[in-house]
C-alpha cells in the first residue's frame, strides 16, 4: 500500500465510481479542486488507485478556529472497503493538516459514513441536512491539538 499526492483529475475515476455513480463525469469536479491550498491523496495497492481523499482550505462559520481545513471526496472502491484503507487516508490528511498548523478539520459526512468518522475521533455538530442528489449529511469536526 502506498499513499501519494495526486492531481485533481486523477481522483475522477474513484469519485465517479463511488461518489457520483451514474452521474455525468463533470460532477466529479469540485469547486476549488485546483486551488493552491488544495491537496489530493491517492492510495495505491499494486499500482492500482483504490482510494482517495481531498483537503481544501475552507472555513466553516460553525467554528471559530482560524486555520480550518475541509475534507472532501473521501472514497474507497467498494471491493476494498472495510480493510482499513479509508482510515489510512484520513490519517494522511490529518498529518498534512497538522504540518500546516491546522486548528480544526471539518466536513459534511454522508449519514452512512458517520460511524466511520466517529471511530476516528470526529464529532457531529447540529442536525442532519439534505444535500440534493447526494443524500442526508451531518457536519463533523475534530480539533487538532498542537504540541
Ligand atoms: C466511508 C469509507 C470512506 C470508509 O473507508 P473504509 O476503507 O471502508 O473504512 P476502514 O476500513 O478504514 O474503516 C475504519 C474503521 O471504521 C469502521 N467503519 C467503516 N465504515 C463503517 C460504517 N459504515 N459503519 C461503522 N463502522 C465503519 C471499520 O469497521 C473500521 O473500524 P476498526 O478500525 O475498529 O476495524 C468507505 O467505506 C467509502 O468509500 N464508502 C462509500 C463512500 C462514502 O460514503 N464516502 C464518505 C463520504 S462522506
Amino acid at each position: 500500500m502506498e499513499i501519494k499526492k495526486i492531481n485533481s483529475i486523477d481522483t475522477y475515476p474513484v469519485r465517479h465510481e463511488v461518489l457520483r455513480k451514474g452521474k455525468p463525469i463533470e460532477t466529479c469536479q469540485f469547486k476549488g479542486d485546483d486551488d493552491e491550498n488544495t491537496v489530493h491523496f491517492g492510495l495505491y495497492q499494486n499500482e492500482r488507485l483504490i482510494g482517495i481523499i481531498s483537503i481544501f482550505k475552507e472555513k466553516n462559520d460553525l467554528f471559530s478556529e482560524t486555520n480550518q481545513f475541509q475534507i472532501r471526496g473521501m472514497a474507497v472502491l467498494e471491493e476494498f472497503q472495510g480493510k482499513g484503507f479509508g482510515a489510512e487516508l484520513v490519517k494522511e490528511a490529518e498529518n498534512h493538516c497538522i504540518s500546516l498548523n491546522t486548528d480544526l478539520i471539518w466536513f459534511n459526512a454522508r449519514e452512512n459514513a458517520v460511524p466511520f468518522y466517529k471511530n476516528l475521533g470526529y464529532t457531529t455538530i447540529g442536525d442532519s441536512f439534505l444535500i440534493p442528489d447526494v443524500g442526508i449529511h451531518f457536519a463533523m469536526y475534530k480539533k487538532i491539538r498542537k504540541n
Side-chain angles (χ1 to χ4, degrees), residues 4-22:
K4 58 186 180 191
K5 281 188 188 173
I6 58 175
N7 295 322
S8 63
I9 202 161
D10 299 328
T11 66
Y12 289 11
V14 179
R15 280 185 182 172
H16 200 221
E17 175 66 27
V18 183
L19 301 171
R20 298 286 186 269
K21 206 175 175 79

Side-chain angles (χ1 to χ4, degrees), residues 5 15 42 61 65 78 90 98 102 104 106 115 122 142:
K5 281 188 188 173
R15 280 185 182 172
D61 289 337
E65 280 77 4
E78 195 173 351
V90 172
I98 289 166
T102 307
L104 180 139
W106 68 276
Y122 288 83
K142 180 152 101 177

Side-chain angles (χ1 to χ4, degrees), residues 18-19 74-77 80-88 108-110 112-113 115-117 119:
V18 183
L19 301 171
M74 163 87 240
V76 174
L77 291 180
F80 295 99
Q81 290 175 8
K83 301 179 192 302
F85 294 129
E88 291 295 333
N108 296 322
R110 291 178 182 212
N112 68 292
F116 163 73
Y117 292 119
N119 203 35

Side-chain angles (χ1 to χ4, degrees), residues 7-147:
N7 295 322
S8 63
I9 202 161
D10 299 328
T11 66
Y12 289 11
V14 179
R15 280 185 182 172
H16 200 221
E17 175 66 27
V18 183
L19 301 171
R20 298 286 186 269
K21 206 175 175 79
K23 297 187 177 147
I25 194 76
E26 298 78 58
T27 62
C28 295
Q29 183 177 20
F30 297 171
K31 185 170 165 281
D33 256 349
D34 296 319
D35 286 0
E36 61 172 333
N37 290 313
T38 301
V39 173
H40 310 274
F41 288 106
L43 188 151
Y44 290 79
Q45 202 184 37
N46 300 326
E47 293 175 25
R48 178 173 173 199
L49 180 66
I50 61 162
I52 51 168
I53 192 167
S54 302
I55 308 129
F56 294 70
K57 187 159 174 55
E58 188 75 40
K59 190 173 185 316
N60 184 327
D61 289 337
L62 281 175
F63 311 106
S64 58
E65 280 77 4
T66 314
N67 197 0
Q68 303 179 16
F69 278 84
Q70 178 186 11
I71 288 176
R72 296 193 68 193
M74 163 87 240
V76 174
L77 291 180
E78 195 173 351
E79 61 186 293
F80 295 99
Q81 290 175 8
K83 301 179 192 302
F85 294 129
E88 291 295 333
L89 280 162
V90 172
K91 279 178 207 148
E92 186 76 29
E94 289 178 351
N95 287 337
H96 170 78
C97 292
I98 289 166
S99 76
L100 296 173
N101 290 319
T102 307
D103 302 310
L104 180 139
I105 296 174
W106 68 276
F107 45 83
N108 296 322
R110 291 178 182 212
E111 194 179 24
N112 68 292
V114 167
F116 163 73
Y117 292 119
K118 280 193 173 162
N119 203 35
L120 294 171
Y122 288 83
T123 308
T124 56
I125 181 169
D127 295 330
S128 66
F129 54 94
L130 187 69
I131 298 186
D133 294 332
V134 187
I136 295 172
H137 285 69
F138 286 86
M140 296 188 81
Y141 71 98
K142 180 152 101 177
K143 290 184 187 182
I144 301 293
R145 296 189 192 285
K146 290 180 201 141
N147 295 317

